[in-house]
Amino acid sequence: MTDDQETTDTEDTTPSGSATLPPLRPPCERLSCHKSSVCSRSYFVVVMVFFHVYIINVIALLFYVHYSSGQEDASRSRDAQSSGHQRPESGPPPSKTEFLRDVSLTRIEGIRVGHVQKVSLVPGRVHEMRTLSLKPLLFEIPDFLSEDECRVVMQLAQLKGLMESQLMVQDGQEELAKELNLSPEEIFNLLDINQDGQLQLHEILTHSRVRDGIWLTPENLREIYAGLKADKDGNGLLSLEEFRLLSNDAFQRFLMQRGVKRSQLVRNSRHTWLYQGKGAHQVLQDIKARVTRLTRLPPYLVDLSEPLQVVRYEEGGHYHAHHDSGPVYPETACTHTRLAANTSTPFETSCRYITVLFYLNSVEGGGETAFPVADNRTYDEVSLIQNDVDLLDTRRNCNKSNLKVKPTKGTAVFWYNYLSDGRGWVGEQDEYALHGGCVVTHGTKWVANKWINIDPDYQRQARYQQLVSQQPGDEDDEGLTLNLDTHSSDIHQDL
Ligand code: OGA
Ligand code: CA
Ligand code: FE2
């Protein structure tokens, strides 16, 4: 095309470029001749511009057609991205309803340790809420429950009947080695954290502190070594050869033969569950409403959470440090949304965004709630056991915990077991939320737990809410009856 244009241009200029003088023409004609060469250039420019505009129009049209047909997909993918899931635009359309995130969870600000804020929980009264730690975000509210309310909750729990929080271990469990399908060498290598070819006591305990619900202490281990003549050179370390001599369930069998006491379990208490929905005792409904005001979360999230758990520790009772909630992995499902999730996931954990713990009595001796690593500068699982001191052991080492809360009748403490995802939803598990109940040295201890269940996966939570709201007799925790079997067993996450 450009070539054509040039040719035309050349032809036009030839006459004016001739050597012979042309006959005189009127000035206007000369002008037009001169003009025509200028005109051909502008013609070229006009054609070029037109051509480019044409191309741009075609491209714009193609874009328009593509966009209008893919609009639905695009808006879906925007939503999926905002909920942290990646969906390729060219992929198949989602088969299930995707929910737009229209909720932002309130998270109460701690400001600084010791900060006191006034909160309005009951008409005509003001409560004080003190920040106890920032990692985890933890608060204390004295007189959250009245004396009468504490009494009613304990009586209702007794009427219902409490059961052992942890059953005694049964003999003849499946061998660990068979379950794991690992050779002694492989297990040895996994446990040998510093890879020095020896197993130090803390290396064994960090990864196998709990064997079938039995809490192992460094002394237990030494006793087991001696009983099984495992540590031949008696240096407290196991070489691979010494380790190989132990069968994989040697620890369990040894403990069984010696007999296991309740105090050797992870948890030594009794508990029961009290429903707080419509028709429940007014005190239970009032407590639920107050928790909703305290946490400033949407009421339906509190309504759809687990019932109130009431726990009683006898003298000597304890609960070693644990997390109330599990870590967030893609392959982990939450117990409360599992049925609605419509997927089979290999792991299941309780997803308890918030724990509200009520002290129903003042304990005569011990029984504090310990937060071993609260506001620690760093969190390092391995350093939780050092020099035979296991910070998770609440029978022995509560005095070494960073924070201890003394049980006082009517006081509530509450904390977040998860961080925020920064966009108004539940984020990662907060490792600093590790806590336990110190051994009760005098008297009994009564506490209640109100857990607020939220799935870190927004879509799963939304689907669960939709499913429950479709069931007759919805609106409160009765919708959770299906899940209660798992709730009533101990589903706390132990390290
Ligand atoms: C619990 C718990 C602490 C306590 O029941 O999950 O951590 O002080 N209790 O009893
Ligand atoms: Ca080692
Ligand atoms: Fe707990």
Side-chain angles (χ1 to χ4, degrees):
M1 202 135 159
T2 316
D3 286 347
D4 285 355
Q5 193 71 39
E6 273 170 10
T7 318
T8 321
D9 223 49
T10 320
E11 272 170 13
D12 276 354
T13 53
T14 309
S16 62
S18 127
T20 53
L21 279 174
L24 269 177
R25 286 185 194 162
C28 62
E29 221 183 308
R30 265 190 281 139
L31 189 67
S32 100
C33 259
H34 178 68
K35 234 176 154 184
S36 91
S37 80
V38 173
C39 281
S40 65
R41 245 179 234 127
S42 41
Y43 176 65
F44 169 70
V45 171
V46 167
V47 170
M48 283 299 286
V49 167
F50 175 78
F51 176 69
H52 281 102
V53 168
Y54 176 76
I55 296 283
I56 289 167
N57 273 336
V58 169
I59 291 171
L61 190 70
L62 285 172
F63 263 114
Y64 173 74
V65 171
H66 176 77
Y67 178 75
S68 49
S69 69
Q71 208 165 24
E72 255 191 29
D73 278 355
S75 73
R76 279 201 205 105
S77 94
R78 220 185 312 126
D79 172 34
Q81 271 167 18
S82 73
S83 62
H85 299 277
Q86 301 292 319
R87 182 192 302 287
E89 271 191 45
S90 54
S95 53
K96 294 180 224 105
T97 327
E98 298 252 327
F99 298 90
L100 273 173
R101 191 186 294 188
D102 53 1
V103 193
S104 186
L105 305 175
T106 307
R107 212 175 152 87
I108 293 169
E109 285 194 52
I111 313 292
R112 72 191 122 73
V113 173
H115 176 76
V116 177
Q117 37 193 311
K118 301 221 182 301
V119 283
S120 163
L121 304 171
V122 195
R125 253 203 91 167
V126 174
H127 283 84
E128 290 196 337
M129 178 164 76
R130 179 184 297 273
T131 305
L132 297 186
S133 71
L134 297 174
K135 296 193 301 182
L137 192 49
L138 167 68
F139 302 92
E140 180 183 54
I141 309 102
D143 299 319
F144 186 92
L145 300 180
S146 69
E147 287 218 7
D148 276 350
E149 286 172 330
C150 290
R151 180 180 46 79
V152 167
V153 173
M154 290 187 286
Q155 288 171 343
L156 288 172
Q158 276 169 313
L159 268 177
K160 182 139 189 197
L162 295 102
M163 57 205 165
E164 293 292 349
S165 301
Q166 192 186 335
L167 298 175
M168 291 296 279
V169 198
Q170 299 301 306
D171 207 350
Q173 298 258 358
E174 184 77 354
E175 260 190 51
L176 185 66
K178 278 195 204 129
E179 271 177 65
L180 282 172
N181 200 15
L182 293 173
S183 69
E185 289 77 11
E186 284 169 316
I187 298 178
F188 187 94
N189 271 322
L190 282 171
L191 295 176
D192 185 13
I193 301 166
N194 65 0
Q195 292 287 300
D196 65 351
Q198 305 275 349
L199 287 187
Q200 283 81 3
L201 290 177
H202 76 265
E203 287 180 325
I204 294 190
L205 291 175
T206 297
H207 292 290
S208 39
R209 207 182 253 115
V210 181
R211 284 269 67 88
D212 291 328
I214 305 170
W215 189 265
L216 292 179
T217 64
E219 285 72 38
N220 287 154
L221 269 193
R222 287 209 181 84
E223 212 182 309
I224 292 170
Y225 288 180
L228 298 172
K229 299 191 176 52
D231 180 18
K232 289 257 158 50
D233 48 16
N235 64 354
L237 306 171
L238 285 192
S239 64
L240 176 58
E241 287 62 44
E242 289 168 332
F243 185 75
R244 234 197 287 261
L245 295 177
L246 293 169
S247 77
N248 280 296
D249 61 347
F251 290 3
Q252 278 111 309
R253 280 195 286 118
F254 181 81
L255 288 165
M256 290 307 167
Q257 278 159 17
R258 270 172 78 254
V260 180
K261 295 188 230 95
R262 298 214 65 83
S263 59
Q264 282 179 284
L265 300 180
V266 172
R267 181 178 191 186
N268 179 14
S269 64
R270 295 166 71 81
H271 74 255
T272 192
W273 299 90
L274 299 177
Y275 293 91
Q276 297 182 279
K278 278 203 206 97
H281 194 289
Q282 194 56 45
V283 163
L284 297 173
Q285 295 197 45
D286 290 350
I287 294 173
K288 188 175 70 171
R290 214 171 298 156
V291 165
T292 307
R293 283 184 75 90
L294 173 71
T295 57
R296 299 176 208 161
L297 291 174
Y300 60 84
L301 285 176
V302 184
D303 285 341
L304 290 175
S305 290
E306 289 165 81
L308 187 71
Q309 188 194 56
V310 184
V311 188
R312 179 187 157 107
Y313 299 87
E314 303 301 333
E315 202 162 287
H318 74 277
Y319 192 170
H320 288 309
H322 60 277
H323 283 287
D324 284 352
S325 259
V328 183
Y329 300 121
E331 63 274 18
T332 308
C334 296
T335 307
H336 76 288
T337 56
R338 186 194 36 156
L339 290 172
N342 214 3
T343 48
S344 56
T345 39
F347 304 110
E348 187 184 308
T349 183
S350 45
C351 298
R352 293 157 166 170
Y353 182 51
I354 288 181
T355 299
V356 188
L357 177 72
F358 311 95
Y359 298 107
L360 303 175
N361 74 334
S362 300
V363 181
E364 281 172 64
E368 300 91 342
T369 307
F371 293 82
V373 291
D375 280 335
N376 233 38
R377 212 156 43 81
T378 54
Y379 176 86
D380 174 12
E381 192 191 349
V382 176
S383 62
L384 290 171
I385 305 185
Q386 267 175 0
N387 308 324
D388 280 13
V389 176
D390 182 356
L391 281 179
L392 302 195
D393 187 328
T394 55
R395 295 191 72 83
R396 303 162 161 216
N397 299 322
C398 268
N399 58 341
K400 297 187 182 65
S401 264
N402 284 0
L403 181 70
K404 278 192 296 175
V405 183
K406 192 174 145 55
T408 308
K409 187 193 275 187
T411 294
V413 284
F414 89 95
W415 66 88
Y416 293 82
N417 293 303
Y418 292 89
L419 303 168
S420 163
D421 72 344
R423 293 181 298 142
W425 197 249
V426 182
E428 293 293 304
Q429 184 193 33
D430 188 349
E431 291 166 323
Y432 295 89
L434 196 64
H435 64 280
C438 305
V439 65
V440 177
T441 51
H442 288 104
T444 55
K445 169 184 169 187
W446 283 88
V447 295
N449 286 301
K450 182 66 189 168
W451 284 299
I452 299 174
N453 307 106
I454 307 181
D455 195 321
D457 181 325
Y458 179 82
Q459 297 297 332
R460 281 201 314 230
Q461 177 71 29
R463 230 173 282 134
Y464 161 68
Q465 278 165 210
Q466 196 190 40
L467 190 87
V468 175
S469 68
Q470 283 163 0
Q471 292 192 348
D474 48 345
E475 285 158 61
D476 41 52
D477 52 18
E478 260 64 43
L480 278 175
T481 338
L482 287 165
N483 281 344
L484 265 180
D485 279 352
T486 17
H487 284 144
S488 53
S489 65
D490 184 18
I491 45 172
H492 283 195
Q493 194 69 24
D494 299 304
L495 281 180

